[in-house]
Amino acid sequence: MTTPLRILRAGIAWAFPLAVFSLVAIPAVAQTSAAAYKAPRLLGTPNPNLNGLWQAINEGNWDLQVHAAQPGPPQFGALYAQPPGPGIVEGNEIPYQPWALAKKKENFEKRFVRVKYDAFREIPLDPEAKCYLPGVPRATYMPFPFQIVQGNKKIVIAYEFAGASRIIPLEKVGEAPVDSYMGWSAGRWEGDTLVVDVTGFNDRTWFDRAGNFHSDALHVVERYTPASPDVIRYEATIEDSKVFTRPWKISFPLYRRLDKDALFMEFKCVPFSEELIYGHLRKQAGK
Amino acid sequence: MRHRILASVGMPLIVAGLLAAAPAAAQVAAAAQVPAAKAAAAKKWRTPWGDPDLQGSWSNTNIAPLERPAKWAGREFMTEQERAEEEKKRARSEGGSFYDSSWTDGRTSLIYDPPDGRMPAPTPEGKKRQAALKAAFDRARNNGPYDGPEDMEIRTRCIIRDALPRIPATYGNSYEIVQSPGSVAIYHEAIHETRVIPIDRPIDRRPHLNAGVRQWFGDPRGHWEGDTLVVETTNFNDETAFQGSTKNLLLVERWRRAAADRIDYTFTVSDPETWTKPWSASIPWHSAGQLFEYACHEDNIDMYGILTGARADDKKAAEAAKKGTK
């Protein structure tokens, strides 16, 4: 039985040499610390403890790829303008098939224009603006915290945005019985890395506000590797034979929310989206 | 970092001494009331880190109505035969094997306190509010007018499925519980959200959110009382209005593993602005199968259809009026 005190001692034992070492060789540590770091275990299990409130700090939700600042709606001045970002795609290239690259551009152009969406509705395309379930991996790098609740048999990840959540069984699961927004997750431990294989997606979520998208053939493999007490290295391999010419990868750190009062809160955005979706169907004065 | 070390090492040592007396006494008293077999069963359900284990997929489907119908007056439970008949009746009314909602533990009502199985009398103000809410609900569900999205009720709008605490519905009664040492997640299949409940020892419990901060599912705080998870939720918003309550509803829920395939669940609600006294209900959770994603808002063609229809009616009425004036 591992006691909390032993975990703490282990933590100090690791932290001290790393701290000293990092003074002399910062780049080396950056490269090797994820591999060298031994995370505290989830008590009574052989697995690292990933529990907590986490958040990505990057601009991937605006555009996965490297991008400069862009103005927002002029009536709001500097508010809602796009911050610049180095991108989160390894090698920066998203290997679209030619038709798909054109579709990505169209997505962006029509993101706020009312267009025929399905047999019934004419609504703007941008799924985030409509408060749709954000999909995977996007939920991970939206500018909202999410909570990992890691049990011994399953893991729940609860995202603040849209009240989205996922159940990740830590065992073999069959094929996805039906397509969904957040996909069908199967988790497993590879050493200290939580690997989540996600299939069964529909084609209705985007990767970002730039219109980057996928089809229902999307297959995502996520890897969560603890790198320090307050950092998880996150990687996702993205594969979609209908849209891309080869698999590609995004990666970035997740940070623990250390704020004194950090707490999982609600962002139930459906009411915020109603004017955008239904506004044109309001009763007009005098009609 | 210094903070964290203090919190994880210092506090337990100091607190352990303070705590030793009171809970131990409470536990002995409680244990004396629990039959030995039940206590032994409870011991079995432990997580690897030693907490009572509530994890799994559960359903709170139940055929008992919230309030006791007159025909069961004076009786908390049915006989086995009556129960079988009620289940058969329910199955028939759903056309055979419809939503698998015929589960019952034989209660004649979910409410067990007050003992007459009915909600306590409303306050005069509560009565007025409940009538107004019911009228608004009927308007939203039946007659309109539908001038804009806000004229529909929260379920039609896919904001939340139902207020807390959850009363069984015709379908969509599945829940998944996953636990970790500091929090319990309760995933609601309908409609896909998770309650993340921070679990603290009562002594170092974090205070509720500032009273000005209101959420659809409120602000929960949990702790273990022996084998029972006790969760206190406050900070609801005006629109959740459980059975006509105000946003100041105080909800206390209790989950206790009773068997491999069952959790005993009870809740107590207090809201002096609505009811003259608190009341409680018992809704056992029983094993459920696989949960699925319940995306609601994304394919909400009802809202679109109702508003489109209302505008078509407006147009027709305007044309008729024009003809009339000619």
Side-chain angles (χ1 to χ4, degrees):
Chain A
M1 192 76 185
T2 321
T3 63
L5 220 71
R6 262 178 64 190
I7 289 177
L8 186 84
R9 230 183 286 138
I12 292 172
W14 277 102
F16 182 66
L18 275 179
V20 173
F21 186 48
S22 67
L23 288 174
V24 282
I26 288 164
V29 168
Q31 273 168 20
T32 58
S33 62
Y37 174 66
K38 179 87 174 162
R41 305 292 100 178
L42 175 65
L43 260 174
T45 78
N47 307 313
N49 185 349
L50 306 182
N51 280 294
L53 190 66
W54 302 92
Q55 189 168 340
I57 304 179
N58 62 59
E59 299 72 31
N61 190 53
W62 288 92
D63 189 339
L64 292 177
Q65 293 169 294
V66 60
H67 59 269
Q70 294 290 331
Q75 66 270 36
F76 296 118
L79 300 182
Y80 315 118
Q82 174 178 294
I88 57 174
V89 179
E90 290 193 359
N92 195 49
E93 195 207 343
I94 301 179
Y96 278 109
Q97 296 173 18
W99 75 270
L101 186 61
K103 169 97 166 93
K104 179 232 159 176
K105 286 177 180 152
E106 189 193 341
N107 281 347
F108 181 73
E109 280 154 17
K110 296 192 175 164
R111 65 198 189 283
F112 298 134
V113 189
R114 204 170 289 289
V115 293
K116 195 160 179 60
Y117 182 73
D118 55 24
F120 301 92
R121 297 174 290 174
E122 287 185 1
I123 37 178
L125 287 177
D126 187 287
E128 182 191 358
K130 289 182 291 195
C131 182
Y132 283 12
L133 289 169
V136 174
R138 187 175 184 179
T140 319
Y141 52 82
M142 293 189 81
F144 295 86
F146 60 88
Q147 183 96 27
I148 297 181
V149 180
Q150 175 189 347
N152 48 313
K153 294 175 202 140
K154 290 181 184 176
I155 294 174
V156 161
I157 306 186
Y159 305 92
E160 284 191 354
F161 183 82
S165 24
R166 302 159 68 188
I167 299 170
I168 305 170
L170 293 169
E171 58 184 12
K172 282 212 158 68
V173 298
E175 260 186 49
V178 65
D179 285 356
S180 61
Y181 285 81
M182 299 301 288
W184 180 254
S185 297
R188 63 177 193 273
W189 291 100
E190 280 182 9
D192 272 9
T193 299
L194 170 67
V195 182
V196 188
D197 193 281
V198 201
T199 53
F201 288 102
N202 64 30
D203 62 359
R204 291 178 152 199
T205 63
W206 288 1
F207 293 119
D208 57 19
R209 296 177 181 174
N212 283 305
F213 76 108
H214 59 84
S215 77
D216 59 2
L218 177 66
H219 174 208
V220 178
V221 180
E222 302 175 275
R223 301 175 66 87
Y224 299 78
T225 310
S228 81
D230 302 318
V231 175
I232 292 174
R233 292 252 151 233
Y234 179 85
E235 273 183 25
T237 304
I238 294 162
E239 203 180 341
D240 183 340
S241 59
K242 292 188 190 171
V243 175
F244 308 114
T245 57
R246 59 170 169 82
W248 50 285
K249 207 158 132 186
I250 58 171
S251 60
F252 49 86
L254 297 170
Y255 302 94
R256 189 187 296 279
R257 289 289 302 253
L258 296 171
D259 325 38
K260 184 167 122 317
D261 297 326
L263 182 74
F264 181 83
M265 293 177 75
E266 268 176 19
F267 187 77
K268 291 210 140 299
C269 49
V270 168
F272 313 155
S273 73
E274 288 178 328
E275 187 57 36
L276 179 77
I277 301 174
Y278 310 113
H280 67 303
L281 297 174
R282 268 184 199 288
K283 189 180 180 75
Q284 302 298 310
K287 279 190 188 168
Chain B
M1 207 58 212
R2 190 143 41 107
H3 240 84
R4 177 134 3 115
I5 290 169
L6 268 179
S8 54
V9 180
M11 285 302 280
L13 293 179
I14 299 161
V15 167
L18 296 173
L19 266 181
Q27 270 172 16
V28 168
Q33 292 165 8
V34 177
K38 253 192 173 175
K43 281 268 174 294
K44 240 172 41 187
W45 310 110
R46 292 283 165 194
T47 63
W49 53 93
D51 283 339
D53 194 345
L54 303 170
Q55 297 179 102
S57 318
W58 305 98
S59 163
N60 75 343
T61 286
N62 198 310
I63 68 170
L66 181 62
E67 292 191 284
R68 189 168 303 155
K71 71 166 175 173
W72 301 114
R75 294 181 51 195
E76 193 174 351
F77 288 94
M78 304 170 191
T79 64
E80 272 305 310
Q81 195 190 340
E82 288 164 338
R83 177 177 156 176
E85 281 165 17
E86 287 296 316
E87 287 183 354
K88 223 187 287 172
K89 222 192 294 173
R90 174 65 169 249
R92 228 181 4 248
S93 78
E94 292 190 347
S97 59
F98 196 37
Y99 282 128
D100 185 29
S101 58
S102 62
W103 199 90
T104 167
D105 61 345
R107 279 194 175 280
T108 56
S109 62
L110 299 177
I111 296 179
Y112 66 87
D113 181 40
D116 70 357
R118 304 191 62 84
M119 273 185 254
T123 61
E125 188 206 335
K127 198 170 180 177
K128 225 188 284 170
R129 186 175 347 97
Q130 284 169 338
L133 284 165
K134 187 178 179 312
F137 182 88
D138 288 345
R139 221 169 30 242
R141 272 299 175 92
N142 302 319
N143 310 313
Y146 303 112
D147 293 348
E150 305 78 15
D151 292 327
M152 255 63 78
E153 51 109 21
I154 54 175
R155 251 171 295 197
T156 312
R157 291 162 75 188
C158 291
I159 300 173
I160 61 170
R161 163 64 171 274
D162 263 322
L164 294 177
R166 287 299 183 92
I167 306 293
T170 325
Y171 67 94
N173 294 319
S174 294
Y175 302 88
E176 178 91 34
I177 299 182
V178 172
Q179 293 170 228
S180 70
S183 43
V184 172
I186 303 181
Y187 176 104
H188 298 173
E189 186 178 70
I191 46 177
H192 69 61
E193 64 269 316
T194 297
R195 289 173 80 189
V196 176
I197 301 164
I199 307 295
D200 293 318
R201 287 160 301 184
I203 192 93
D204 52 13
R205 199 172 79 164
R206 285 160 274 191
H208 278 292
L209 286 172
N210 182 297
V213 179
R214 300 285 165 176
Q215 306 199 104
W216 293 94
F217 291 117
D219 181 48
R221 294 288 180 276
H223 66 273
W224 294 104
E225 275 179 18
D227 291 331
T228 304
L229 171 64
V230 182
V231 177
E232 182 193 286
T233 308
T234 59
N235 297 65
F236 292 103
N237 69 22
D238 274 322
E239 290 169 273
T240 45
F242 172 72
Q243 300 290 322
S245 76
T246 69
K247 65 182 178 183
N248 297 323
L249 181 79
L250 167 66
L251 167 63
V252 179
E253 297 164 282
R254 292 165 183 272
W255 286 262
R256 184 179 167 282
R257 188 75 174 253
D261 58 356
R262 182 165 156 166
I263 289 173
D264 286 337
Y265 169 85
T266 63
F267 71 75
T268 300
V269 284
S270 331
D271 182 17
E273 294 170 81
T274 305
W275 299 290
T276 46
K277 55 181 181 176
W279 54 277
S280 305
S282 161
I283 313 171
W285 288 22
H286 37 101
S287 280
Q290 175 70 50
L291 273 68
F292 296 97
E293 180 178 280
Y294 189 115
C296 179
H297 167 65
E298 292 77 359
D299 274 305
N300 197 336
I301 55 171
D302 288 2
M303 290 286 285
Y304 212 86
I306 291 167
L307 288 170
T308 306
R311 296 299 74 80
D313 284 350
D314 290 351
K315 205 172 154 192
K316 242 191 273 175
E319 277 163 13
K322 224 186 215 172
K323 258 186 210 159
T325 55
K326 268 183 190 167

